[in-house]
């Protein structure tokens, strides 16, 4: 594995840990971190969050990671799963 | 109708299908809750009319059925899609494991017709009853002599209508009449399964055939970890303690990726393609691969045989339903989202 790949995987692992922690501590998702799958749906089906939770998730992520997500990243269209949230933070999203 | 045309119908208008693959049972009796609670790995402490999505597992935690559990007063509906080759009623009875409840298969008395698409809510509001427009996701309601379950596994609005046999023809006549205003088209099970795949929903006819558990398939949200008595619970607990060695991951590429092709990252083999399909709306190609857990993440450039691919976060498409507000938009009156 190249150093670039290792660094990316470590960064992604860190953001996943932050997202899981926010889901559990702020949004009261009653699951252990490792029981929240990296590609679990956040809203409706899946973890069952709502649009108010989406706002809180974005605010908490920005506070913890010291970044500002682009406006387009704040919509339910961009925050569909744990993985798409991480994509927004890391700027690697891909949807059609 | 061809699969691409059916998918176009489902993704942009409204499609209708008789859901013979969906077998419905009604569980009644003073111990109905206890029986259902013991059978399923998900929480089934539901409010009246609430629906939850869960699974039935074998002892080794592989998936034998994809089930929606719906509470109807003190009884439960079970909407089951079982792994091909298995018999639903025997499976349900074995998992409920008690003679203190009645399990009534509804196929002899009812049919299930399903409506899917971004405008399904408006179409059914006109054809069946305005109450359907406001029906919450994952709920049921009794309306116009039938039972309407709102759920769906396509990423679009989806409804399953449980219709008494005597009411099927009049109901279909109403649906077809209203359907003239919505470009209603037929759907096949193949189209539903493809749409489920595109939208990262589990299909018992694809992932259900693989020898993996909900842990590797990223379906832990369909389990409730404080339950330990359902069939397969011991295997789930063991797998969770160990952590998954592999995880289902989606790949995107410009060219088709062959089933069973190795997935290579930085010259190391990290997994294998299990399933391959054209991308949504005919753009690119997708593959579902089981990858080693540390590298089962989006954003990696990988090689699949001769094809350059990228791991991506599912779902890989934006559903039209996400942009629709029933308070503002209408297919019939031409008020589409911008």
């Amino acid at each position: 594995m190249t150093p670039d790949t290792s660094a990316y995987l470590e960064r992604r692992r860190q953001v996943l840990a932050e997202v899981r922690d926010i889901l559990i501590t702020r949004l009261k998702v009653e699951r252990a971190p490792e029981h929240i799958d990296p590609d679990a749906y956040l809203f409706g089906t899946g973890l069952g969050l709502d649009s108010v939770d989406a706002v809180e998730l974005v605010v908490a992520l920005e506070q913890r990671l010291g970044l500002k997500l682009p406006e387009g990243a704040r919509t339910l269209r961009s925050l569909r799963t744990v993985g798409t949230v991480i994509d927004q933070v890391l700027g690697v999203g891909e949807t059609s | 109708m061809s699969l691409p045309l059916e998918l176009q119908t489902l993704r942009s208008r409204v499609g209708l299908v008789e859901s013979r693959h969906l077998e419905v049972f009604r569980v009644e009796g003073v111990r109905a809750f206890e029986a259902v609670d013991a059978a399923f790995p998900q929480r089934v402490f539901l409010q009246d009319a609430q629906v939850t999505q869960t699974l039935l597992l074998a002892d080794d935690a592989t998936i034998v059925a994809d089930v929606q559990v719906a509470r109807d007063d003190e009884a439960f509906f079970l909407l089951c899609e079982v792994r091909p080759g298995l018999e639903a009623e025997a499976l349900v009875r074995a998992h409920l494991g008690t003679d203190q409840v009645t399990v009534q298969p509804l196929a002899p008395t009812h049919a299930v017709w399903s409506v899917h698409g971004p405008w399904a809510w408006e179409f059914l509001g006109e054809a069946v009853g305005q109450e359907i427009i406001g029906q919450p996701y994952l709920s049921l309601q009794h309306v116009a002599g039938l039972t309407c379950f709102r759920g769906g596994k396509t990423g679009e609005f989806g409804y399953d209508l449980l219709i008494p046999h005597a009411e099927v023809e009049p109901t279909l006549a109403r649906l077809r009449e209203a359907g003239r205003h919505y470009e209603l088209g037929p759907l096949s099970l193949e189209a539903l399964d493809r749409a489920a795949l595109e939208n990262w929903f589990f299909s018992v006819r694809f992932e259900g055939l693989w020898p993996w558990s909900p842990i590797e398939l990223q379906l832990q949200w369909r389990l409730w970890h404080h339950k330990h008595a359902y069939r397969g619970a011991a295997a789930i607990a063991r797998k969770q303690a160990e952590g998954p060695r592999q995880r289902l991951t989606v790949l995107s590429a410009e060219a088709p990726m062959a089933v069973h092709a190795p997935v290579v990252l930085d010259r190391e083999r990290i997994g294998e393609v299990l399933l391959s399909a054209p991308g949504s709306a005919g753009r690119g190609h997708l593959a579902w691969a089981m990858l080693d857990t540390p590298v089962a993440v989006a954003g990696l450039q990988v090689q699949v045989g001769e094809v350059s691919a990228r791991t991506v976060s599912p779902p890989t498409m934006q559903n039209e339903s996400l942009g629709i507000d029933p308070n503002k938009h209408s297919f019939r009156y031409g008020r589409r989202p911008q």
Side-chain angles (χ1 to χ4, degrees), chain A residues 24-94:
Chain A
I24 293 165
T25 61
R26 297 277 292 263
L27 301 179
K28 308 302 180 194
V29 171
E30 295 179 63
R31 293 185 181 270
E34 64 273 19
H35 296 168
I36 299 174
D37 291 317
D39 292 312
Y41 269 107
L42 293 172
F43 305 99
T45 194
L47 300 179
L49 304 185
D50 60 27
S51 55
V52 177
D53 295 324
V55 175
E56 183 157 357
L57 175 60
V58 168
V59 169
L61 262 177
E62 290 180 339
Q63 287 173 345
R64 287 198 187 193
L65 300 176
L67 52 79
K68 183 87 174 162
L69 291 175
E71 213 44 48
R74 295 163 166 267
T75 66
L76 294 185
R77 281 175 174 265
S78 301
L79 304 174
R80 299 182 77 179
T81 68
V82 173
T84 59
V85 170
I86 298 170
D87 288 350
Q88 293 297 334
V89 172
L90 299 179
V92 296
E94 178 177 329

Side-chain angles (χ1 to χ4, degrees), chain B residues 9-49:
Chain B
T9 296
L10 191 154
R11 295 302 187 196
S12 62
R13 300 191 301 278
V14 188
L16 175 67
V17 57
E18 183 175 8
S19 293
R20 292 178 183 270
H21 62 284
L22 198 58
E23 298 186 63
V24 184
F25 300 88
R26 186 171 172 88
V27 181
E28 294 182 343
V30 291
R31 298 191 60 80
F33 171 77
E34 286 79 0
V36 172
D37 190 44
F40 292 99
Q42 179 65 286
R43 273 186 294 191
V44 296
F45 190 71
L46 305 171
Q47 296 177 354
D48 187 26

Side-chain angles (χ1 to χ4, degrees), chain B residues 126-160:
Chain B
E126 180 172 337
V128 176
Q130 291 291 307
E131 306 95 306
I132 286 179
I133 294 175
Q135 181 172 343
Y137 182 58
L138 292 179
S139 72
L140 73 83
Q141 68 171 318
H142 302 286
V143 54
L146 52 84
T147 305
C148 176
F149 300 87
R150 183 178 166 203
K153 300 166 189 171
T154 68
E156 312 297 347
F157 285 87
Y159 303 84
D160 299 307

